[in-house]
Amino acid sequence: MTTGVSLVLKNVNLPEGRIADISLSRGAVSHVGAGLLSDDAIDCSSYLVLPAASDMHVHMRGGIQSSKEDWRSGSRSALAGGVTLVIDQPNTIPPITTPGLCNDRVLDAQLHSACHFAINSGVTAGTDFEAMWHAGAIAFGETFFSPSSYGEAIGEATLEQALKRIGNLNALATIHAEKITPVSDLDLRSHDQARSIQSEEQAVRTVNSCNTSRCRVHFCHLSSAASLDAASGSLEVTPHHLFLSLESVDNSSAFGKVNPPLRTERERKNLWERWGRITVIASDHAPHTMEEKQKKFSDAPAGIPGVETMMPLLVGHILDKKISVISVIEKTSLNPATLLGIRKSGFEVGDRADFALYPKTPVRIRADTLHSKCGWTPFENHMAVFPRQVIMGGTMVYCEGEFFKGSPQWFPGRGYNR
Ligand code: DOR
């Protein structure tokens, strides 16, 4: 066959209600309508077909943190959850703050990642932002405006300067906005007090006022309605803040410890009421080992895994008619691509040929069926819909628990000097 069409997705129910065949050639959507000739076709009439997600916030670890996760395990976890592009955060050990470290991170991912990837630059007082932009960083941050696991905080003056320089590059700065009150960190409720909703909102307002140069700012993982209302710029919310609350997890266990913390059930519902204001849903996939999470609460690291469960939880909500298909596509494919200046996955000719095919049957989430190295999930027993097949670059890379070799690409930022 010489049509150049690698695969046709037949009978796809498009978000606008039309049914069409989608032909994929050379990694892109080449035709939407009647299917072009191809050796390979998948009948999608029983599936909810979605553009594969781009997860703007993951921590793929590796190096001396490989017992938590590495590129191989983390990227497979992404694919099995319908995510074909991950944006890796720079708070690795050592943090990604020099072009050399950025290159090493890219090389590691090129060797081991099963999915597409991009790398963010760290933001510290000494970071050479221009050099990191030329090295291929796609965005700057998460910028720690308060310390977190493996993240050292910067002060207001440094942030203001950093935003000026990042703004001059017309690049995106992503911010972890929190403030800490010194109270004992004994359990999830005191962790919530130590990093309260009020102080998160205050931190958001301070970041707004530090942005005198009007740099493009993206707020990471906001956890309350008040912070969403205060934020100027784009913002992301995580599945754990949308699907978990202080009431739904064991208060004394550090498995639910995360920054920003889980909030009350009331606040969780408030977040859902702001669904329309949320620009991006990102997982903040931050795996730690079970051994680390079983330490004394105050010593246990903050962070929970989620790249594999993000889309399945959202698709469950789509099937329950709680949220629209279009809103999920916007927040997991279109908006991340627009913010990062890359090609989106989607149903239009020229879009990236990355799709996830979801059966319309929810199942219970079980940690032992997931692919992250950490081996646990805070969403155990939640109902979700996992993709049966995942397409990346026009070819099948995942089917019913089995992975197939694809062509993962690095997505450098616009400043990359080859
Ligand atoms: O809980 C968190 N864990 N929040 C962060 O911002 C960092 C992350 C991590 O890297 O473990």
Side-chain angles (χ1 to χ4, degrees), residues 299-378:
D299 295 340
I304 58 184
V307 71
E308 190 165 348
T309 44
M310 173 174 81
M311 288 306 292
L313 287 163
L314 293 173
V315 172
H317 257 37
I318 293 176
L319 296 187
D320 287 344
K321 303 207 181 316
K322 291 182 174 153
I323 47 179
S324 69
V325 178
I326 287 179
S327 69
V328 171
I329 294 174
E330 278 171 5
K331 294 173 205 312
T332 61
S333 159
L334 175 63
N335 293 346
T338 306
L339 287 171
L340 298 168
I342 58 174
R343 197 140 62 106
K344 69 176 163 64
S345 52
F347 295 114
E348 288 169 25
V349 171
D351 285 348
R352 265 166 45 217
D354 292 8
F355 294 94
L357 280 45
Y358 296 88
K360 294 182 182 164
T361 41
V363 295
R364 285 196 189 279
I365 295 178
R366 303 269 187 231
D368 58 8
T369 63
L370 303 178
H371 298 82
S372 169
K373 247 195 211 181
C374 71
W376 61 277
T377 171

Side-chain angles (χ1 to χ4, degrees), residues 41 162 174 244 268 385 417:
T174 72
L244 302 175
R268 185 184 79 85
V385 181
N417 274 350

